[in-house]
Amino acid sequence: MATASDEAKKKKQALGWIEWLRGWFYLIYEMLFQRIMASHLQNPMPLPPVNDLTCIVTGSTSGIGREIARQLAESGAHVIMAVRNPKVAHELIQKWQNEWSGMGLPLNIEVMELDLLSLDSVVRFANTWNARLGPLHVLINNAGIFSIGEPQKFSKDGYEEHMQVNHLAPALLSILLLPSLLKGSPSRIVNVNSVMHHVGFVDPGDMNVVSGKRKYTSLVGYSSSKLAQIMFSSVLHKRLPAEAGISVTCVSPGIVQTNVARDLPKIVQTGYKLIPYFIFNAQEGSRSSLFAATDPQVPEYCELLKSDDWPVCAFISYDCRPTNPSEEAHNVQTSYQVWEKTLEMIGIPLDAMERLIEGDEVSCRYGAQEGS
């Protein structure tokens, strides 16, 4: 018993060196071989009929999110660009409409303001959307930050910025939008994750990385936030009743353009500069998200994992095939601790998900109004 307890204690301090090495192996392997492994995919990826879908895409004015929003809209979906800068989004829509002119019906896209560095903004967004009383079929939590090489920063809510933007804010958004996702059932929550979660470690008692147990770097902040997202998503996936018809998946877009650079070991930096051929562009990086959002077999796969009591939610790789996240992501005990700590940090009660599924209202510490 003492040995198991000691091991659990050690586990909470950091990744074991074997896990850490394995994580870097996955990262380097993905960088070198992703293009070969995904060579069976078309680019752009052809989508099934999506004319009846309403999709919210966060962070959709640049990079992968921009490609996701554009391709969904061009395939006929009603797309809501949830962005920090509405002006840029409106300019993009105008450009897309002009390019699309004469090729079909005008694109059905709108813009709503959402700043993930403000949990008040997240609650306002969710309240505004839920007030429409319409269905939401797909929520794509794409927006994320990796402030490479920068010192530790905190949001006005008091949380480390990577943890807030990449995990806490999307978690709050996903929970608060459950009433609309229920109306759109069968519906999906797609979280754009990263292979870098393999080198991440989450201490539920030190989500802000301020205790001094670990030295903060932007890599620590980013990889920890991505692992926390998988852990939270896995518990959400398990706790959502099957009859709700809401699937939860995490996806890896692959190594896309320059989302990995100066904060990596020197040897990896050198390789990154020498092999631009191997790095995905944004359109290629969008394929796993589009697959998770539209492929008809994804909900069946999620249900299969749930019925088998699999410890993690569905994780779709950059080659649009199901894969396993890191060993640490399978740590069920830590995942439930992350779930509880996250709900505490985002200011909603532990039974918020169940109450929202039942049609009850839930109050949130942020937004100064009801959270449903």
Side-chain angles (χ1 to χ4, degrees), residues 9 12-14 152 154 158 160 163 201-217 220 224 341 345:
K9 216 170 177 186
K12 289 181 182 173
Q13 302 303 315
Q152 190 170 23
F154 297 89
E160 194 275 321
M163 190 58 74
F201 178 81
V202 183
D203 178 353
D206 186 29
M207 301 266 278
N208 271 341
V209 196
V210 291
S211 69
K213 288 185 212 166
R214 290 185 292 161
K215 181 177 182 294
Y216 176 85
T217 65
V220 165
S224 302
K341 186 64 179 177
M345 291 170 81

Side-chain angles (χ1 to χ4, degrees), residues 100 148 182 223:
W100 187 251
I148 296 170
L182 273 173
S223 59

Side-chain angles (χ1 to χ4, degrees), residues 190-325:
V190 178
N191 296 311
V192 180
N193 203 263
S194 168
V195 68
M196 293 185 73
H197 82 271
H198 279 278
V199 293
F201 178 81
V202 183
D203 178 353
D206 186 29
M207 301 266 278
N208 271 341
V209 196
V210 291
S211 69
K213 288 185 212 166
R214 290 185 292 161
K215 181 177 182 294
Y216 176 85
T217 65
S218 54
L219 177 61
V220 165
Y222 180 77
S223 59
S224 302
S225 68
K226 289 300 186 180
L227 178 60
Q229 183 180 61
I230 298 174
M231 289 178 155
F232 183 88
S233 300
S234 296
V235 178
L236 178 60
H237 155 78
K238 279 186 263 198
R239 293 182 70 141
L240 280 167
E243 56 272 20
I246 302 172
S247 308
V248 182
T249 61
C250 290
V251 305
S252 170
I255 309 284
V256 182
Q257 292 177 350
T258 55
N259 67 345
V260 178
R262 288 168 300 170
D263 217 30
L264 300 177
K266 290 279 187 288
I267 188 167
V268 184
Q269 289 183 43
T270 307
Y272 191 82
K273 287 170 187 168
L274 289 175
I275 51 171
Y277 165 78
F278 296 95
I279 310 302
F280 282 170
N281 61 36
Q283 190 175 71
E284 291 165 327
S286 71
R287 293 179 299 196
S288 54
S289 300
L290 289 166
F291 176 84
T294 63
D295 189 87
Q297 291 185 308
V298 169
E300 296 169 27
Y301 176 62
C302 291
E303 279 312 304
L304 181 66
L305 294 181
K306 189 177 289 193
S307 62
D308 283 353
D309 202 24
W310 195 246
V312 290
C313 65
F315 192 89
I316 307 295
S317 186
Y318 58 88
D319 58 2
C320 297
R321 294 184 175 113
T323 190
N324 250 333

Side-chain angles (χ1 to χ4, degrees), residues 35 63 85 176 216 232 290 298 327 331:
R35 193 168 289 285
N85 191 332
L176 295 184
Y216 176 85
F232 183 88
L290 289 166
V298 169
E327 184 182 331
N331 188 327

Side-chain angles (χ1 to χ4, degrees), residues 72-102:
L72 284 171
E74 288 181 358
S75 298
H78 171 207
V79 175
I80 297 87
M81 298 175 71
V83 298
R84 199 175 48 185
N85 191 332
K87 182 175 179 288
V88 172
H90 283 296
E91 288 168 0
L92 260 182
I93 291 172
Q94 189 58 55
K95 178 175 177 282
W96 291 343
Q97 296 287 17
N98 293 339
E99 291 170 355
W100 187 251
S101 181

